[in-house]
Amino acid sequence: MRKIIYALILAVMMTSCMTYQGFYNVGLQNVERPENAKERYGESKIVNFEEEGKTKYSYEDDMIKIVWLPLSTQFGFTLQNKTDHSIKIIWDEAVYVDPNGSSGRVMHAGVKYIDRNNPQPPTVIVKNASIDDMIVPTDNIYYVSGKYGGWRTKPMLPNRANTQEELNALTQQYIGKEVRVLLPLEIQGTVNEYIFTFKVEDFIAK
């Protein structure tokens, strides 16, 4: 009898702690460049493709090729320098804009969480080379104290709730919304501001 009671208590505890969650499909929709970019860096194109079961988004012009992988807490990317000059990513001027239009600072790979609000040196991409990196909004990073604490990263869009109904109501308000990433790229002393606009296409519960 005691075992049955313990089993019932455990089942109730597991049910009460259950959360419903899923992931958003976020696709690259548009890229804004400086006004004279077409004359300097040619035509541009956006392509989406599947790789290892994940949807990635490629943007390319005569200056760069960048492949994005939107994830729940970050934007992973590979950036290729197609020019004969070095390109610098000016991290202290990079910005993430959330669905409500609020903009904030970002950090990238190699930066310690505790240093996320400190100046970040530019990343240099030499001619005809590429790098793998990521972008994380610093406002989403926080610290939890205690025995099981540590650094945490909130999802860029809320993706979990206590019931399926709450999850549906929560996520539906973000479908169709846009988020943006401003990535300043300096070449030969000129900073080119690329603004990548991503659209929240749908939400898949799991």
Side-chain angles (χ1 to χ4, degrees), residues 18-110:
M18 181 180 297
T19 58
Y20 294 81
Q21 58 185 330
F23 61 92
Y24 294 89
N25 284 322
V26 179
L28 180 62
Q29 297 293 309
N30 184 51
V31 180
E32 297 179 39
R33 302 184 294 173
E35 291 183 359
N36 63 344
K38 185 174 181 180
E39 289 75 17
R40 297 183 63 189
Y41 306 122
E43 298 290 342
S44 62
K45 62 179 179 180
I46 298 174
V47 178
N48 65 293
F49 61 96
E50 295 290 326
E51 186 175 86
E52 297 179 352
K54 298 177 180 178
T55 302
K56 298 184 178 182
Y57 300 86
S58 170
Y59 167 84
E60 185 172 7
D61 59 23
D62 291 345
M63 175 178 167
I64 63 168
K65 178 179 180 180
I66 185 167
V67 176
W68 291 97
L69 176 60
L71 301 172
S72 62
T73 60
Q74 66 189 48
F75 287 93
F77 69 90
T78 299
L79 177 58
Q80 177 187 354
N81 178 359
K82 298 174 61 177
T83 75
D84 292 325
H85 308 277
S86 294
I87 291 178
K88 291 181 180 180
I89 304 177
I90 312 300
W91 288 112
D92 283 342
E93 298 177 13
V95 171
Y96 168 74
V97 183
D98 70 17
N100 299 315
S102 297
S103 62
R105 180 180 174 84
V106 305
M107 61 177 286
H108 66 109

Side-chain angles (χ1 to χ4, degrees), residues 25-29 176-179 197-202:
N25 284 322
V26 179
L28 180 62
Q29 297 293 309
K177 293 290 186 68
E178 294 180 344
V179 298
T197 299
F198 299 84
K199 185 176 181 180
V200 183
E201 297 173 347
D202 60 16

Side-chain angles (χ1 to χ4, degrees), residues 102 133-134 148 171 173:
S102 297
D133 212 323
M134 65 179 184
Y148 301 104
T171 58
Q173 62 183 304

Side-chain angles (χ1 to χ4, degrees), residues 128-183:
N128 302 311
S130 62
I131 62 161
D132 295 319
D133 212 323
M134 65 179 184
I135 285 176
V136 181
T138 58
D139 288 343
N140 291 352
I141 298 170
Y142 62 101
Y143 185 81
V144 176
S145 60
K147 182 179 179 180
Y148 301 104
W151 290 100
R152 304 281 191 272
T153 305
K154 296 187 296 185
M156 290 181 285
L157 301 170
N159 64 348
R160 63 178 58 194
N162 293 325
T163 67
Q164 187 65 57
E165 290 74 18
E166 289 179 2
L167 182 65
N168 292 340
L170 176 66
T171 58
Q172 283 302 310
Q173 62 183 304
Y174 292 98
I175 305 301
K177 293 290 186 68
E178 294 180 344
V179 298
R180 289 176 289 165
V181 173
L182 186 157
L183 199 61

